[in-house]
Amino acid sequence: MRILIVNDDGIKAPGIRKLAELSMQLGEVWVVAPKSQCSAMSQRITLFEDIEVTPECYDVDGVRAYSVGGTPADCVKVALEFLMPEKPDVVFSGINSGYNTGIDILYSGTVGAAMEALANGIRSFAFSNKNDTSWETVDAYFISIVKELLDENLSMDRIWNVNFPGCKLSECKGILRDRIPAKHQFYQDDYVRTNHADGSFSLRSKGVMTEKAEEGTDISALLNNFISIGSVRCAALGYQKD
């Protein structure tokens, strides 16, 4: 299997290295990721500016890697058009540092890159973890989850969205499937305002974590130390003319 790996946290992020390392057990791996942090860019692409593409020495044996001076969606476009000699069988996006759940899915560059792959007719997955320091649960479950989901006949207007709770393996309660996005953000808006002498002001978002969610949702699963698996539909690809 030929795998393209992208992310929104940047080429140096621990999560993409972990994803590349685990994916080597499944096939041929290419990493094409933003040169710098690109979280919350959704499916934005670069227009009217140059996009720099640079070969990278990657510390996972057998992985071919490039950094891109653009967005997560740019990385998919560049990989398909200019880097990979053949189309990948699947695109893995992540592993994001922080959940992509609920309304936060709309902002996510991780999900945006997966959607870009889907728009090009490639099966795609978005992976996220609570943080980028605890990998026990990811290590234990990743391969079996991917193999299971690859066997599923998911329609080509949807991506898989997999979130790991970031807890110790002994505290993980297992997997909850068919989770739907909660109707609110996991990272609630909480802006710190600074007023300036000229009457202007600046805002900095802190993103306070929620403590509750409806049953059956992705956020509820994670708050209770379950792995959350669900699918996210691209409305544009699901459109059918009458």
Side-chain angles (χ1 to χ4, degrees), residues 192-219:
V192 176
R193 174 171 172 159
T194 302
N195 293 317
H196 306 302
D198 63 358
S200 65
F201 60 91
S202 56
L203 300 169
R204 179 177 288 268
S205 176
K206 292 195 299 183
V208 176
M209 291 186 290
T210 191
E211 296 180 354
K212 59 183 180 179
E214 309 94 325
E215 288 296 319
T217 64
D218 45 14
I219 294 178

Side-chain angles (χ1 to χ4, degrees), residues 81-127:
E81 183 71 20
F82 299 102
L83 298 177
M84 301 183 73
E86 296 180 71
K87 191 175 182 179
D89 299 299
V90 66
V91 170
F92 293 162
S93 187
I95 298 172
N96 193 66
S97 178
Y99 299 140
N100 280 307
T101 55
I103 293 175
D104 291 316
I105 289 170
L106 298 174
Y107 311 122
S108 168
T110 303
V111 172
M115 288 294 184
E116 183 63 36
L118 191 66
N120 284 275
I122 305 167
R123 291 181 296 174
S124 58
F125 293 64
F127 296 102

Side-chain angles (χ1 to χ4, degrees), residues 53-86:
V53 182
T54 307
E56 297 282 346
C57 293
Y58 213 65
D59 62 351
V60 179
D61 288 343
V63 171
R64 279 158 285 197
Y66 294 83
S67 62
V68 174
T71 70
D74 286 333
C75 291
V76 176
K77 288 181 177 292
V78 168
L80 299 183
E81 183 71 20
F82 299 102
L83 298 177
M84 301 183 73
E86 296 180 71

Side-chain angles (χ1 to χ4, degrees), residues 160-182:
W160 287 114
N161 189 33
V162 181
N163 284 269
F164 295 93
C167 59
K168 294 180 179 178
L169 182 57
S170 60
E171 298 171 349
C172 180
K173 297 177 183 176
I175 302 171
L176 289 178
R177 298 167 175 81
D178 301 320
R179 299 300 92 184
I180 61 172

